[in-house]
Amino acid sequence: MSETTKSTQESEAVDVQSSQKNANAKGSGPVLKRSSRKWWWGGGGVVVLFLIYWGTVSYIDRVGWVFFHTGREAVVTLSKMAKAMQMRDLATVESLYAPSFKGQALGLEAHKLTDDRDGVRTYTFQAGGEIPNRQTALAQWQSYLDGFESIEEVGLYIHRLEDWQGSGNVVASVRFELIGTPKGERQPGIDRALFRMHFDRNGEASYLIQQVELIAGDRVINSRPLFVDVAPATGIDFKNQYYPAFLTQELKFGMLRYGPAGITAADFDSDGFCDLFVPDGVASKLFRNLGNGQFDDVTALVGLSDLSGVSVGLFADYDNDGDQDFFVSRTFEPNQLFENRGDQYVDVTPQSGIDPDNCTTVASWADYNNDGFLDLYVGRYLEPRERIPTTFYARNGEPNQLYKNNGDGTFTNVTKEAGVGEVGLCLGTAFGDYNDDGYPDLWVSNDFGRKTLYKNNGDGTFDDVTVETGTLAYGAGMSSTIGDYDNDGHLDLYVAHIRSEEGWFAEWPTVLRYMVNSWRQSVWMTDMPLYFQILQQSGFQFVQVFQDMASGNTLLRNKGDGTFEDVTWHANANPPGWFWGTNLVDFDNDGWQDLYAANGWVYNEKGTEIELEFLNSVVSEQKLYKTGYLFDPNYFGARSWHGWERNRYLRNNGDGTFKEMGRGFNTDLVLNSRGTAVADFWNRGVMDLAVAASTARHALLRNEIEPNRNWVQFKLVGAANEIAKGTNRDAVGARVILKSGQMQMVREVILGDGYAAQSTLRLHFGLGELDVVDEIIVRWPRSGIEQHFENVAPNKLYEIKENQNELIEKVYRIDGAEG
């Protein structure tokens, strides 16, 4: 208690006693002296309240800065150590160890083989005995580094500050990653570990390492590349370019220039080979798959030239005439709809009823009202020339739009009556029937905020069921992916987020400092409504919300009762990075869907990183944040921001968890990647992968796993108007359930998901060692027809038509003929 407060209370007590004596003499109750009341309300109380406020704010500010500086010094030490290890500079490593160091043998050389599959081996590190001194620790590192023929990358990053208060040592869990070629190996591998490090605060320039112990770690390495980038060899030699308007027009949210780069895999000419449309800022391209390993640029030939400022392009048969029409976004120009007229695409936008909808980033097609025609949902970001995200949680985007297909070539905007005018900063949309009622529901992912799950009521309207279903998934949402990762028959949800290497910063000292600065810097008036919204959604869990924002990709498991549970950490589904496009697909044909995630943001000068400075500036200088300066490319200049990061491949372990295997599968591209799309481009029974890049050359990864595992694929064709209540021709929303022995898998036809992407509409099932499929069930959403096929032979592509109980085997040849 301050002396001022104590004095005030003693004075007040004397006044009360005096008043009581006078009142007792008069036969009445105690009354405060008027002069005392006047002093309290007139000045003294204000002083006391000010002192309490000043003391609280000072404490929060002081603790917040201590927390930041503590973490930053540890970051500096780890960065120095990582660089020294990559250069094999043991003298610098020694300078970062305390003379009194004692620790544990980390076991980085004590490998135990724990998995060997498809030519990819995993070795687990086995921690040993005690390390008595610094010299022994350095000898351990020397021996470890000498075991590599070459070293490409070394990283050491704080995972969490475990103990940082008081005058004792700082304790942190630290993530270690080294990519290099061990002696005797033909391919580079990756070593990963989680250490617990104790730092001595008495270091002269930075902290000194006092103690280290291994928490967990392993090595992943392959014998040969399992995916090969064939883009240049096949004719997809294409470099993404900035949208000129992002460079010539004044943008308040200038960093948006680094965003767009979608990708589309679709058989636009219905010849049985999946083609590629590549959106671009200057000149988008359509590449026809010739079926012989080559692609041909047919953009001008089919009438799709001069498409600039494109984020997303989607092929869909919106008029049910059997060919693929086309929708494309145009950023600051009106979006366009093209009708397929056989050998040409014709712009029918003016008569279609589709509005301009500038700032469109993503889109999806689905028959939301089950009338047999595909409807269009358009996801939009904010207007970057006018606004920036309000705060770390923003709801100031351009409203998304839903267009109902009238069945006559026109559309009607039904956003308001349907209730799906989401106003987040949308970067992901996908339709999927999560509650198995026959109507497609809608999942929307937003940057700077939350996700929204809309339940389709079956009457043309949707309800926002996000909170009650457990699907808020706070974070910088940049994709929407739907699939059954655990083979329980229910559709799960996956979304790309940012998992910062500075995620340790999201703790209570930072959150409180952020809130205090919001008040002190007078920005709370604009932010308070958003805080109240978080309060309504999540209670007082503001620290948890901040941590969610920095915790990376989110996997939501469908519990089958209309709700979801966040299984991200248990499933190991959130690798570090700044992620964009995501896919759920069985790449190795073992019967379990794997995850692929594109990674990267601003690839400027290597060895630089602005992230921690940016985050601290957001917390400290909120008035500056509101000007948009922190998002101006001139602010970070030549420095990188989550730059030079690798894409991630998460192999499904079949037990509800994933293992990151990107280096082992040769899919860990350093490409500044954005959109991703999957398809069996060469009809071989394995899924290949197309990856778009921001201002770099795109990749086409040919799947060379060759696991000799079985598979089966289905092309579904809706009856449309050929039968009463026929499903749309593309069969979007139709579902195939595969049962064999104890195995059950489900796939649904989805058109437009991930980030600014479209993947093949064929449904692919890996079968592992199964040599026959016991039963195939096909469910058609509009007609309600359910078809059953038994004893289905594997390793074939089948076509299934609605209301025709026949499996039609399809074999496509490069001359255009079918077998």
Side-chain angles (χ1 to χ4, degrees), residues 238-242 260-262 278-281 310 692-698:
F238 185 83
K239 182 178 180 180
N240 182 269
Q241 303 173 83
Y242 286 134
V278 184
D280 187 58
V310 176
S694 174
T695 65
R697 297 194 180 278
H698 302 322

Side-chain angles (χ1 to χ4, degrees), residues 2-231:
S2 68
E3 290 301 319
T4 304
T5 304
K6 183 176 179 181
S7 174
T8 301
Q9 291 181 342
E10 289 175 348
S11 175
E12 184 179 13
V14 171
D15 287 343
V16 170
Q17 290 176 359
S18 177
S19 298
Q20 286 178 329
K21 289 180 180 179
N22 294 333
N24 288 339
K26 298 178 181 180
S28 61
V31 177
L32 287 174
K33 286 184 178 180
R34 181 171 298 176
S35 61
S36 176
R37 293 199 305 270
K38 186 180 297 183
W39 178 88
W40 172 259
W41 295 112
V46 173
V47 172
V48 171
L49 292 176
F50 172 78
L51 290 175
I52 293 173
Y53 164 78
W54 180 83
T56 301
V57 168
S58 297
Y59 172 78
I60 290 172
D61 209 37
R62 183 173 66 255
V63 172
W65 278 107
V66 167
F67 177 73
F68 168 71
H69 286 299
T70 300
R72 185 177 65 177
E73 289 304 314
V75 168
V76 170
T77 299
L78 294 173
S79 178
K80 288 180 180 178
M81 184 173 178
K83 291 178 181 178
M85 290 177 66
Q86 185 168 346
M87 300 299 294
R88 303 177 192 256
D89 177 6
L90 268 295
T92 298
V93 174
E94 181 178 9
S95 72
L96 300 174
Y97 271 67
S100 58
F101 174 87
K102 289 184 179 181
Q104 179 193 68
L106 301 178
L108 301 182
E109 298 171 281
H111 303 151
K112 179 181 178 182
L113 181 65
T114 53
D115 189 49
D116 187 352
R117 180 180 174 192
D118 301 333
V120 182
R121 288 160 284 136
T122 301
Y123 298 88
T124 302
F125 299 145
Q126 307 292 305
E130 298 298 315
I131 297 293
N133 52 51
R134 176 169 64 176
Q135 287 68 36
T136 306
L138 293 172
Q140 177 185 240
W141 281 118
Q142 179 75 68
S143 177
Y144 170 68
L145 296 175
D146 285 346
F148 288 90
E149 193 71 41
S150 61
I151 297 175
E152 297 178 21
E153 298 177 19
V154 180
L156 282 161
Y157 313 96
I158 293 179
H159 174 65
R160 183 171 175 267
L161 283 181
E162 298 179 356
D163 188 0
W164 55 275
Q165 294 177 287
S167 58
N169 289 348
V170 175
V171 182
S173 48
V174 173
R175 192 174 69 83
F176 168 74
E177 187 169 287
L178 181 147
I179 297 176
T181 304
K183 291 179 178 178
E185 296 283 358
R186 291 179 292 177
Q187 300 288 329
I190 185 166
D191 287 358
R192 290 196 183 94
L194 192 64
F195 300 140
R196 179 166 287 108
M197 284 190 172
H198 298 247
F199 297 93
D200 185 349
R201 292 178 186 265
N202 296 323
E204 296 179 2
S206 58
Y207 295 166
L208 297 181
I209 301 169
Q210 183 73 44
Q211 182 180 333
V212 184
E213 61 189 50
L214 176 71
I215 299 174
D218 59 29
R219 169 175 293 176
V220 175
I221 193 164
N222 62 14
S223 302
R224 62 179 179 84
L226 301 187
F227 281 80
V228 178
D229 185 3
V230 297

Side-chain angles (χ1 to χ4, degrees), residues 641-788:
W641 193 353
H642 274 269
W644 309 99
E645 296 185 330
R646 294 178 179 269
N647 295 355
R648 304 286 183 169
Y649 177 106
L650 305 181
R651 186 173 71 184
N652 194 325
N653 296 321
D655 60 1
T657 67
F658 294 85
K659 172 70 176 174
E660 207 290 299
M661 306 288 281
R663 177 86 302 266
F665 280 69
N666 202 43
T667 58
D668 60 337
L669 305 177
V670 183
L671 197 65
N672 203 5
S673 304
R674 298 294 185 267
T676 58
V678 294
D680 182 358
F681 286 102
W682 294 279
N683 294 333
R684 299 171 301 138
V686 291
M687 301 301 282
D688 309 297
L689 179 64
V691 182
S694 174
T695 65
R697 297 194 180 278
H698 302 322
L700 181 58
L701 297 179
R702 181 181 169 97
N703 188 334
E704 299 287 356
I705 295 177
E706 297 179 359
N708 296 318
R709 300 189 186 98
N710 295 323
W711 56 274
V712 67
Q713 294 179 1
F714 300 98
K715 175 186 177 182
L716 303 186
V717 181
N721 58 1
E722 294 175 5
I723 66 171
K725 294 188 176 180
T727 300
N728 65 87
R729 188 71 70 186
D730 281 335
V732 176
R735 180 177 293 191
V736 171
I737 301 167
L738 183 150
K739 296 182 178 181
S740 201
Q742 299 299 313
M743 179 178 286
Q744 173 177 302
M745 291 179 276
V746 61
R747 305 282 189 269
E748 185 166 305
V749 181
I750 295 172
L751 205 170
D753 64 343
Y755 167 72
Q758 176 181 353
S759 292
T760 180
L761 301 187
R762 290 185 197 169
L763 300 181
H764 174 86
F765 294 83
L767 300 177
E769 306 306 318
L770 288 176
D771 55 8
V772 67
V773 177
D774 292 345
E775 184 180 21
I776 294 293
I777 303 170
V778 185
R779 292 178 179 169
W780 299 91
R782 187 180 185 219
S783 65
I785 292 173
E786 188 171 288
Q787 295 167 302
H788 293 253

Side-chain angles (χ1 to χ4, degrees), residues 369-564:
N369 56 357
N370 273 352
D371 67 352
F373 290 93
L374 288 176
D375 312 295
L376 177 65
Y377 189 70
V378 175
R380 305 165 73 196
Y381 206 75
L382 54 68
E383 171 51 83
R385 294 169 291 189
E386 301 173 2
R387 295 188 299 279
I388 65 170
T390 311
T391 181
F392 70 94
Y393 178 83
R395 304 289 292 165
N396 62 332
E398 298 295 310
N400 295 352
Q401 304 295 323
L402 175 62
Y403 293 97
K404 182 177 74 72
N405 191 330
N406 299 320
D408 59 1
T410 67
F411 293 78
T412 300
N413 191 323
V414 294
T415 309
K416 185 176 181 179
E417 48 265 52
V420 291
E422 168 67 49
V423 293
L425 281 55
C426 183
L427 289 176
T429 59
F431 285 94
D433 185 6
Y434 82 88
N435 56 0
D436 305 331
D437 65 355
Y439 283 87
D441 309 295
L442 175 62
W443 195 42
V444 179
S445 297
N446 300 305
D447 197 3
F448 289 86
R450 53 165 269 180
K451 315 304 159 290
T452 300
L453 181 62
Y454 289 108
K455 181 176 72 70
N456 193 327
N457 296 319
D459 60 1
T461 68
F462 292 77
D463 284 337
D464 181 345
V465 295
T466 312
V467 175
E468 54 263 46
T469 57
T471 53
L472 276 167
Y474 290 108
M478 290 181 275
S479 73
S480 290
T481 299
I482 299 178
D484 182 14
Y485 83 94
D486 55 356
N487 285 349
D488 67 352
H490 303 296
L491 295 181
D492 311 299
L493 308 176
Y494 190 64
V495 57
H497 284 145
I498 299 170
R499 180 176 165 187
S500 171
E501 296 293 4
E502 317 300 344
W504 60 268
F505 193 44
E507 290 284 358
W508 66 266
T510 302
V511 176
L512 290 181
R513 186 157 66 95
Y514 183 92
M515 296 297 185
V516 164
N517 284 334
S518 177
W519 175 268
R520 289 197 302 187
Q521 297 177 27
S522 303
V523 302
W524 64 273
M525 288 294 289
T526 58
D527 297 355
M528 194 60 68
L530 298 169
Y531 298 157
F532 275 123
Q533 189 175 122
I534 293 174
L535 183 67
Q536 290 175 321
Q537 295 168 171
S538 305
F540 288 95
Q541 303 297 315
F542 286 100
V543 174
Q544 185 61 54
V545 171
F546 267 73
Q547 291 177 341
D548 288 346
M549 291 281 184
S551 65
N553 299 353
T554 301
L555 177 62
L556 301 172
R557 178 182 173 270
N558 190 333
K559 296 165 65 177
D561 60 0
T563 66
F564 293 77

